[in-house]
Amino acid sequence: MAKLEPIEALLAPSLRVSRPVAACARCRSAKIKCDGKLPACSACERSGKGTSCTSANDDFARGKERSYVAALEGAAQRLQRKIERARAEAAIQGTSSSTHRPPKHRRISGTRRREASDVDELVSDFGFLTVNATSRDFHGFTSTMSFAKLLLSAASRRELPPTETRGLPPRYAIMPMINHYLENIYVLLPFFSETELMSSLSRIYNESASISSSVTPLDVWNVRLILAISYASSSQQKDDENDKTALEHMAAARSLANYVLHPGSITGVQALLLLVEYALVDPAHFDSWYLVGMASRLVVDLGLHCEPPPETKISKNMLDLRRRIFHCTYALDRLVSMSLDRAFSFTDDSAPDVQLPHLTTENVPSHLFLRSIRPSLFLFDIRRVQSSFYQTTRWSSRTQWPLATAATYASSVSNDIHAWYSTIPPNLSQRHLMLFNLERIYCQILVVSPNQRVPANSMTDLNKELVFEYSAQYADLFQPITQDVTWHAYLTYADICRAKYVGQKFVEVMWSDFDRLLKTSHTLREGSPLAHNPPLENAERATMFLRKIVEVLDFARHRWAMPEMREQFEQESAVLLSRLKSRQGEAKPRQYTNTSDTGVDPNMYGIASNSVYASASQYAYDGAPMMQLPSPPVQQESNAQGEMKPQQMLTPPEEYRVPANYGMPQGSLPRRSYEFFGGRS
């Protein structure tokens, strides 16, 4: 029977390395292998030089394990001292030498090159450092480096501006922003308990005698971060009042990072996920991809990506909380990674059996005043479909698929998307219905767009038309949201990046078959709301799409002072836009008005007309507003009798509803079978 490790060793693990950080001075000069044994290496002991071995110093004394973090700190300090000495010598030489003397080319000796190579090798070994999840924190030998400091240093893009630290406002003043977060963001990402948040507020304001009055740093961190997220998501432009208030709360919370950001506890992961949410609404200061990657690593280290064994005694509330944290981390990781076109932190195969959390707050008298997390379950469902497709087509391999294989796989994934969308009940809030509708269209764009497996020159004509139609629908719905201040709570940096992706794929497909896409009339299904509207020329529709995407990307310039996304897309689409204008000049001119910018009725989903920017778009057509999204195009071909025969589509009809015994289509590629939450409820 294997010997069990004592609990003390698990609670206080050491950061040991499999080989020494550096050889001692004697072994280095003799160019022999040093085993790094303490207090003296074996080579020095055999030669009787054990007392003079450089390993026997205070940094590597007995009981103090070696650490790559400490070694890097020491190397950085030595290099900093060398830089300071070099600058001092250069300053002295500069004052004594003539200013007209031509500069001499610097020659690097072999010793310097070897030293630089050793430093590079040492820095590259930093990737071997692992953080044990059962450790509350780790420190270097100088005791100045902590997990929180290392995390924030790596994830910070720009230093927070200096602000005056003030206490929390009165509770009545912050409750509207707390409710704003709970109603708009928490219901989609419920990785903590709402009752725990209310308990933290009671402890901070000392309102209940039944609750302990001892306020913890975690209580203040949670409240500060939630307020920062709420104010940042309510901001309309950079440096407005809401933006300044959000930065004040974030700066106050950052001073508590060393107390709450720990890798060995669930509360530490929750605190980190709040920071991820803030990074999504303040990308100018924090890198959300790095933060969510670290959160995913901690989730895996804590074992939250697996269901606990049946013999484990765990309460239902704790089990449900574990599932919430995992799925929220999973959803954030997939959202950020796909929007930035980067790899996932972990694959689907590494966490296949984690069940969705239960709706414990439904129909329970003690939980009648708590928010329902039901919308989050639909979000978790569609993230699984997106993740599987993205992993298969983007990162599994770059081998191009045969046309039949690509069509089979795209059709099966499209069926998954429609099966998921059919499970969404109509009694959800109009805003959630709108968000899920955008997710559906975005997923369809992912499926039919060119990728590594199916490049643009290998796409079918139908898929190219579907990219055209779905992209136009996406821009029609998403562009008014960016100009409506009441929707800014749902707008994140990842959403703007996704709009840029849609625009880039549209440009790529347009260049692959420019003339045919402009000349072909994309026939709409009978009964579609657009069938009775005056048709627009495809050149005009493409021009409107490009300008709407530019307006969407301009949101990043107004909100976060990040004009790079708009400038890059304008450069990428400038030639196409010029050619589309030339084509419009050749066609018969049409009359347009400024009554509406989209064919979708804004009031359908509660989109108000108050715009952030001074001028609205001027590219809408004079037609009746649609009451629902247009259907995908259908190519038609004639049979022997001359009648038009509809061609089979890659996507099922809009009125598609998942049957009770829905079976996944058998494709030529291995796929997962999804049991959507909506189909089980």
Side-chain angles (χ1 to χ4, degrees):
M1 181 176 180
K3 184 178 178 181
L4 296 178
E5 192 172 2
I7 189 63
E8 292 79 6
L10 294 176
L11 294 178
S14 60
L15 292 175
R16 300 183 182 271
V17 297
S18 58
R19 60 186 180 88
V21 175
C24 67
R26 182 177 178 277
C27 294
R28 180 186 292 272
S29 60
K31 295 183 179 180
I32 61 177
K33 184 176 180 180
C34 181
D35 60 2
K37 182 181 177 183
L38 297 177
C41 67
S42 300
C44 291
E45 285 184 349
R46 287 195 300 267
S47 61
K49 303 291 185 181
T51 57
S52 61
C53 182
T54 55
S55 296
N57 51 44
D58 183 67
D59 285 348
F60 299 120
R62 186 182 300 277
K64 292 187 176 181
E65 293 78 8
R66 298 189 176 209
S67 169
Y68 282 112
V69 176
L72 289 175
E73 290 178 352
Q77 293 175 1
R78 290 193 299 272
L79 292 175
Q80 184 65 31
R81 288 194 294 267
K82 288 183 179 181
I83 292 174
E84 293 175 355
R85 288 197 299 268
R87 287 177 178 175
E89 294 175 359
I92 296 174
Q93 294 177 359
T95 56
S96 59
S97 61
S98 173
T99 57
H100 301 284
R101 182 178 301 174
K104 296 182 179 181
H105 293 286
R106 182 183 177 187
R107 294 183 178 180
I108 302 177
S109 63
T111 304
R112 289 291 182 87
R113 285 194 178 95
R114 287 193 297 272
E115 182 179 357
S117 178
D118 293 339
V119 173
D120 292 340
E121 182 181 359
L122 180 64
V123 173
S124 65
D125 286 344
F126 183 72
F128 291 100
L129 175 65
T130 60
V131 179
N132 194 315
T134 60
S135 176
R136 296 301 177 187
D137 208 343
F138 65 89
H139 297 270
F141 293 140
T142 59
S143 297
T144 60
M145 179 60 65
S146 64
F147 173 79
K149 182 179 294 186
L150 179 64
L151 176 68
L152 294 177
S153 299
S156 296
R157 290 180 171 175
R158 187 187 306 168
E159 288 295 329
L160 293 174
T163 57
E164 181 183 357
T165 303
R166 294 180 293 182
L168 285 169
R171 180 165 183 171
Y172 69 86
I174 69 172
M175 284 310 298
M177 302 308 296
I178 297 291
N179 292 329
H180 171 83
Y181 174 87
L182 295 175
E183 294 170 0
N184 297 300
I185 303 174
Y186 171 80
V187 294
L188 294 174
L189 296 168
F191 52 84
F192 60 88
S193 172
E194 185 178 352
T195 56
E196 288 296 328
L197 174 62
M198 295 305 168
S199 300
S200 297
L201 288 172
S202 299
R203 284 191 293 268
I204 292 174
Y205 293 98
N206 198 16
E207 294 179 349
S208 176
S210 60
I211 300 178
S212 176
S213 60
S214 58
V215 180
T216 63
L218 184 63
D219 294 332
V220 182
W221 170 275
N222 291 340
V223 174
R224 288 283 193 182
L225 258 296
I226 289 175
L227 291 176
I229 295 168
S230 299
Y231 279 107
S233 62
S234 302
S235 175
Q236 300 180 20
Q237 60 184 1
K238 184 68 174 176
D239 294 330
D240 64 2
E241 194 62 30
N242 285 336
D243 184 58
K244 293 179 180 178
T245 305
L247 291 175
E248 290 178 3
H249 286 292
M250 184 63 236
R254 181 162 182 167
S255 61
L256 303 173
N258 286 328
Y259 300 98
V260 298
L261 294 179
H262 296 299
S265 63
I266 288 181
T267 56
V269 179
Q270 292 171 322
L272 182 53
L273 289 177
L274 280 175
L275 187 58
V276 173
E277 288 185 338
Y278 179 78
L280 285 172
V281 293
D282 188 8
H285 292 98
F286 293 99
D287 187 350
S288 57
W289 185 74
Y290 185 90
L291 292 173
V292 76
M294 183 58 70
S296 301
R297 173 65 182 275
L298 301 184
V299 164
V300 172
D301 286 345
L302 286 171
L304 303 183
H305 66 302
C306 301
E307 288 286 296
E311 62 272 11
T312 303
K313 294 183 179 180
I314 184 172
S315 63
K316 291 183 178 180
N317 291 336
M318 179 55 66
L319 180 60
D320 190 70
L321 181 61
R322 286 170 55 96
R323 293 170 177 172
R324 286 193 190 189
I325 293 175
F326 168 77
H327 283 288
C328 289
T329 306
Y330 179 92
L332 287 170
D333 179 71
R334 270 45 185 172
L335 171 66
V336 175
S337 299
M338 293 179 65
S339 64
L340 299 179
D341 194 23
R342 297 180 181 176
F344 295 147
S345 300
F346 56 93
T347 63
D348 292 343
D349 295 335
S350 61
D353 300 324
V354 181
Q355 300 180 14
L356 292 176
H358 296 291
L359 291 176
T360 55
T361 60
E362 300 287 336
N363 302 323
V364 180
S366 60
H367 296 157
L368 290 179
F369 299 99
L370 300 181
R371 275 78 175 177
S372 173
I373 65 169
R374 192 182 188 190
S376 66
L377 305 183
F378 299 105
L379 181 65
F380 299 156
D381 276 337
I382 194 60
R383 288 288 183 263
R384 292 187 299 157
V385 180
Q386 295 171 351
S387 175
S388 178
F389 180 83
Y390 182 76
Q391 185 73 31
T392 302
T393 58
R394 182 68 176 85
W395 296 104
S396 296
S397 174
R398 295 182 181 271
T399 304
Q400 184 173 338
W401 280 342
L403 185 60
T405 302
T408 302
Y409 186 73
S411 178
S412 60
V413 176
S414 180
N415 286 338
D416 290 340
I417 297 170
H418 281 276
W420 164 79
Y421 191 67
S422 65
T423 62
I424 298 177
N427 59 354
L428 290 181
S429 69
Q430 292 297 313
R431 301 203 170 214
H432 288 148
L433 292 177
M434 176 65 162
L435 291 176
F436 292 142
N437 197 11
L438 284 171
E439 287 288 342
R440 177 183 69 89
I441 301 175
Y442 172 73
C443 290
Q444 295 289 5
I445 295 174
L446 282 177
V447 172
V448 298
S449 294
N451 51 62
Q452 281 77 3
R453 297 300 188 94
V454 186
N457 56 7
S458 300
M459 293 176 60
T460 63
D461 293 344
L462 175 59
N463 275 13
K464 293 177 182 179
E465 295 181 11
L466 287 174
V467 171
F468 190 103
E469 293 298 326
Y470 280 128
S471 299
Q473 295 175 28
Y474 189 84
D476 287 343
L477 287 176
F478 194 62
Q479 185 265 347
I481 290 178
T482 59
Q483 299 196 6
D484 185 354
V485 296
T486 63
W487 276 87
H488 286 187
Y490 298 96
L491 283 179
T492 65
Y493 177 68
D495 296 314
I496 305 302
C497 291
R498 296 206 307 189
K500 180 183 176 183
Y501 168 86
V502 173
Q504 290 174 333
K505 292 302 178 181
F506 181 87
V507 172
E508 183 179 357
V509 170
M510 285 295 299
W511 280 126
S512 68
D513 202 354
F514 182 83
D515 293 329
R516 195 192 65 81
L517 286 174
L518 293 186
K519 294 179 180 179
T520 302
S521 177
H522 301 171
T523 306
L524 300 176
R525 185 186 296 108
E526 183 181 356
S528 172
L530 282 185
H532 305 289
N533 289 343
L536 288 175
E537 295 292 339
N538 288 340
E540 298 169 358
R541 297 177 62 200
T543 303
M544 292 170 55
F545 169 82
L546 294 177
R547 287 172 173 166
K548 288 178 181 179
I549 293 297
V550 169
E551 291 181 5
V552 170
L553 299 181
D554 196 53
F555 176 84
R557 180 178 66 87
H558 282 269
R559 176 61 192 89
W560 303 305
M562 299 175 67
E564 300 84 6
M565 300 177 67
R566 170 178 174 168
E567 294 172 356
Q568 180 183 358
F569 182 75
E570 285 181 331
Q571 293 177 359
E572 295 173 352
S573 60
V575 179
L576 177 61
L577 184 61
S578 176
R579 189 171 177 183
L580 288 172
K581 290 181 178 179
S582 300
R583 183 61 61 91
Q584 291 181 53
E586 300 172 359
K588 181 180 178 181
R590 297 179 181 272
Q591 301 295 327
Y592 301 96
T593 64
N594 300 335
T595 56
S596 174
D597 186 54
T598 175
V600 180
D601 184 7
N603 297 324
M604 174 183 175
Y605 294 104
I607 303 178
S609 60
N610 49 337
S611 175
V612 177
Y613 312 119
S615 61
S617 181
Q618 301 176 357
Y619 311 105
Y621 59 88
D622 187 12
M626 296 187 304
M627 296 308 295
Q628 65 183 35
L629 287 176
S631 303
V634 180
Q635 285 188 330
Q636 295 182 350
E637 56 182 9
S638 58
N639 54 17
Q641 289 75 20
E643 299 177 354
M644 300 303 295
K645 179 181 178 182
Q647 184 177 0
Q648 185 178 2
M649 299 178 56
L650 284 179
T651 56
E654 296 292 332
E655 62 274 7
Y656 177 83
R657 287 295 180 270
V658 58
N661 54 350
Y662 174 71
M664 305 309 301
Q666 298 297 327
S668 58
L669 298 172
R671 298 181 58 257
R672 296 180 58 188
S673 296
Y674 300 102
E675 183 184 359
F676 296 116
F677 164 75
R680 299 192 302 267
S681 60

